[in-house]
PDB file of all heavy atoms in Angstrom:
ATOM      1  N   TRP A 419     -20.536  -5.251  31.345  1.00 95.00           N
ATOM      2  CA  TRP A 419     -19.120  -4.926  31.548  1.00 95.00           C
ATOM      3  C   TRP A 419     -18.598  -4.197  30.317  1.00 95.00           C
ATOM      4  O   TRP A 419     -18.788  -4.667  29.188  1.00 95.00           O
ATOM      5  CB  TRP A 419     -18.341  -6.219  31.776  1.00 95.00           C
ATOM      6  CG  TRP A 419     -16.889  -6.096  32.147  1.00 95.00           C
ATOM      7  CD1 TRP A 419     -16.261  -5.019  32.691  1.00 95.00           C
ATOM      8  CD2 TRP A 419     -15.899  -7.115  32.019  1.00 95.00           C
ATOM      9  NE1 TRP A 419     -14.934  -5.291  32.925  1.00 95.00           N
ATOM     10  CE2 TRP A 419     -14.681  -6.589  32.518  1.00 95.00           C
ATOM     11  CE3 TRP A 419     -15.914  -8.426  31.561  1.00 95.00           C
ATOM     12  CZ2 TRP A 419     -13.508  -7.319  32.538  1.00 95.00           C
ATOM     13  CZ3 TRP A 419     -14.745  -9.164  31.585  1.00 95.00           C
ATOM     14  CH2 TRP A 419     -13.547  -8.621  32.076  1.00 95.00           C
ATOM     15  N   ILE A 420     -17.987  -3.048  30.516  1.00 95.00           N
ATOM     16  CA  ILE A 420     -17.159  -2.439  29.475  1.00 95.00           C
ATOM     17  C   ILE A 420     -15.830  -3.169  29.608  1.00 95.00           C
ATOM     18  O   ILE A 420     -15.033  -2.886  30.508  1.00 95.00           O
ATOM     19  CB  ILE A 420     -16.988  -0.924  29.695  1.00 95.00           C
ATOM     20  CG1 ILE A 420     -18.358  -0.253  29.750  1.00 95.00           C
ATOM     21  CG2 ILE A 420     -16.138  -0.318  28.581  1.00 95.00           C
ATOM     22  CD1 ILE A 420     -18.292   1.209  30.133  1.00 95.00           C
ATOM     23  N   ILE A 421     -15.650  -4.155  28.753  1.00 94.00           N
ATOM     24  CA  ILE A 421     -14.630  -5.187  28.983  1.00 94.00           C
ATOM     25  C   ILE A 421     -13.246  -4.567  29.173  1.00 94.00           C
ATOM     26  O   ILE A 421     -12.759  -3.793  28.350  1.00 94.00           O
ATOM     27  CB  ILE A 421     -14.634  -6.204  27.828  1.00 94.00           C
ATOM     28  CG1 ILE A 421     -15.996  -6.889  27.749  1.00 94.00           C
ATOM     29  CG2 ILE A 421     -13.520  -7.233  28.024  1.00 94.00           C
ATOM     30  CD1 ILE A 421     -16.156  -7.836  26.586  1.00 94.00           C
ATOM     31  N   GLY A 422     -12.648  -4.941  30.300  1.00 93.00           N
ATOM     32  CA  GLY A 422     -11.319  -4.448  30.628  1.00 93.00           C
ATOM     33  C   GLY A 422     -11.304  -3.065  31.236  1.00 93.00           C
ATOM     34  O   GLY A 422     -10.234  -2.524  31.529  1.00 93.00           O
ATOM     35  N   MET A 423     -12.523  -2.502  31.483  1.00 93.00           N
ATOM     36  CA  MET A 423     -12.548  -1.135  32.011  1.00 93.00           C
ATOM     37  C   MET A 423     -13.454  -0.995  33.246  1.00 93.00           C
ATOM     38  O   MET A 423     -12.973  -0.730  34.335  1.00 93.00           O
ATOM     39  CB  MET A 423     -13.012  -0.152  30.919  1.00 93.00           C
ATOM     40  CG  MET A 423     -12.045  -0.033  29.741  1.00 93.00           C
ATOM     41  SD  MET A 423     -12.447   1.352  28.660  1.00 93.00           S
ATOM     42  CE  MET A 423     -12.002   2.740  29.719  1.00 93.00           C
ATOM     43  N   ARG A 424     -14.770  -1.210  33.088  1.00 94.00           N
ATOM     44  CA  ARG A 424     -15.672  -0.906  34.200  1.00 94.00           C
ATOM     45  C   ARG A 424     -16.883  -1.836  34.160  1.00 94.00           C
ATOM     46  O   ARG A 424     -17.496  -2.047  33.117  1.00 94.00           O
ATOM     47  CB  ARG A 424     -16.142   0.550  34.112  1.00 94.00           C
ATOM     48  CG  ARG A 424     -16.934   1.070  35.308  1.00 94.00           C
ATOM     49  CD  ARG A 424     -15.997   1.371  36.471  1.00 94.00           C
ATOM     50  NE  ARG A 424     -16.672   2.083  37.547  1.00 94.00           N
ATOM     51  CZ  ARG A 424     -16.636   3.406  37.705  1.00 94.00           C
ATOM     52  NH1 ARG A 424     -15.959   4.166  36.852  1.00 94.00           N
ATOM     53  NH2 ARG A 424     -17.260   3.979  38.718  1.00 94.00           N
ATOM     54  N   GLN A 425     -17.234  -2.382  35.337  1.00 93.00           N
ATOM     55  CA  GLN A 425     -18.408  -3.237  35.483  1.00 93.00           C
ATOM     56  C   GLN A 425     -19.651  -2.369  35.671  1.00 93.00           C
ATOM     57  O   GLN A 425     -19.575  -1.205  36.082  1.00 93.00           O
ATOM     58  CB  GLN A 425     -18.232  -4.167  36.674  1.00 93.00           C
ATOM     59  CG  GLN A 425     -19.383  -5.127  36.926  1.00 93.00           C
ATOM     60  CD  GLN A 425     -19.139  -6.012  38.129  1.00 93.00           C
ATOM     61  OE1 GLN A 425     -18.009  -6.065  38.640  1.00 93.00           O
ATOM     62  NE2 GLN A 425     -20.160  -6.720  38.593  1.00 93.00           N
ATOM     63  N   ASP A 426     -20.810  -2.945  35.371  1.00 94.00           N
ATOM     64  CA  ASP A 426     -22.083  -2.273  35.599  1.00 94.00           C
ATOM     65  C   ASP A 426     -22.603  -2.610  36.996  1.00 94.00           C
ATOM     66  O   ASP A 426     -22.563  -3.760  37.442  1.00 94.00           O
ATOM     67  CB  ASP A 426     -23.099  -2.706  34.537  1.00 94.00           C
ATOM     68  CG  ASP A 426     -24.361  -1.861  34.548  1.00 94.00           C
ATOM     69  OD1 ASP A 426     -25.144  -1.982  35.506  1.00 94.00           O
ATOM     70  OD2 ASP A 426     -24.561  -1.100  33.592  1.00 94.00           O
ATOM     71  N   GLU A 427     -23.119  -1.595  37.694  1.00 94.00           N
ATOM     72  CA  GLU A 427     -23.617  -1.734  39.061  1.00 94.00           C
ATOM     73  C   GLU A 427     -24.786  -2.715  39.151  1.00 94.00           C
ATOM     74  O   GLU A 427     -24.947  -3.412  40.165  1.00 94.00           O
ATOM     75  CB  GLU A 427     -24.051  -0.340  39.553  1.00 94.00           C
ATOM     76  CG  GLU A 427     -24.720  -0.307  40.913  1.00 94.00           C
ATOM     77  CD  GLU A 427     -23.746  -0.457  42.070  1.00 94.00           C
ATOM     78  OE1 GLU A 427     -22.512  -0.366  41.824  1.00 94.00           O
ATOM     79  OE2 GLU A 427     -24.216  -0.659  43.201  1.00 94.00           O
ATOM     80  N   ARG A 428     -25.617  -2.812  38.118  1.00 94.00           N
ATOM     81  CA  ARG A 428     -26.831  -3.620  38.178  1.00 94.00           C
ATOM     82  C   ARG A 428     -26.557  -5.110  38.316  1.00 94.00           C
ATOM     83  O   ARG A 428     -27.416  -5.865  38.767  1.00 94.00           O
ATOM     84  CB  ARG A 428     -27.691  -3.373  36.927  1.00 94.00           C
ATOM     85  CG  ARG A 428     -28.301  -1.982  36.860  1.00 94.00           C
ATOM     86  CD  ARG A 428     -28.893  -1.716  35.486  1.00 94.00           C
ATOM     87  NE  ARG A 428     -27.862  -1.643  34.438  1.00 94.00           N
ATOM     88  CZ  ARG A 428     -28.118  -1.404  33.156  1.00 94.00           C
ATOM     89  NH1 ARG A 428     -29.384  -1.215  32.753  1.00 94.00           N
ATOM     90  NH2 ARG A 428     -27.140  -1.330  32.274  1.00 94.00           N
ATOM     91  N   PHE A 429     -25.366  -5.560  37.940  1.00 95.00           N
ATOM     92  CA  PHE A 429     -25.090  -6.991  37.939  1.00 95.00           C
ATOM     93  C   PHE A 429     -24.086  -7.393  39.029  1.00 95.00           C
ATOM     94  O   PHE A 429     -23.610  -8.528  39.042  1.00 95.00           O
ATOM     95  CB  PHE A 429     -24.553  -7.400  36.551  1.00 95.00           C
ATOM     96  CG  PHE A 429     -25.557  -7.175  35.451  1.00 95.00           C
ATOM     97  CD1 PHE A 429     -25.591  -5.966  34.759  1.00 95.00           C
ATOM     98  CD2 PHE A 429     -26.484  -8.150  35.132  1.00 95.00           C
ATOM     99  CE1 PHE A 429     -26.521  -5.753  33.753  1.00 95.00           C
ATOM    100  CE2 PHE A 429     -27.417  -7.949  34.122  1.00 95.00           C
ATOM    101  CZ  PHE A 429     -27.439  -6.739  33.429  1.00 95.00           C
ATOM    102  N   LYS A 430     -23.815  -6.485  39.952  1.00 93.00           N
ATOM    103  CA  LYS A 430     -22.819  -6.797  40.966  1.00 93.00           C
ATOM    104  C   LYS A 430     -23.355  -7.837  41.954  1.00 93.00           C
ATOM    105  O   LYS A 430     -24.568  -8.066  42.086  1.00 93.00           O
ATOM    106  CB  LYS A 430     -22.401  -5.536  41.703  1.00 93.00           C
ATOM    107  CG  LYS A 430     -23.436  -5.011  42.695  1.00 93.00           C
ATOM    108  CD  LYS A 430     -22.895  -3.810  43.446  1.00 93.00           C
ATOM    109  CE  LYS A 430     -23.880  -3.320  44.510  1.00 93.00           C
ATOM    110  NZ  LYS A 430     -23.365  -2.152  45.249  1.00 93.00           N
TER     111      LYS A 430
END
Side-chain angles (χ1 to χ4, degrees):
W419 186 21
I420 303 173
I421 299 176
M423 295 192 70
R424 188 77 170 263
Q425 181 180 348
D426 191 290
E427 174 76 12
R428 291 169 293 181
F429 297 91
K430 74 176 184 180

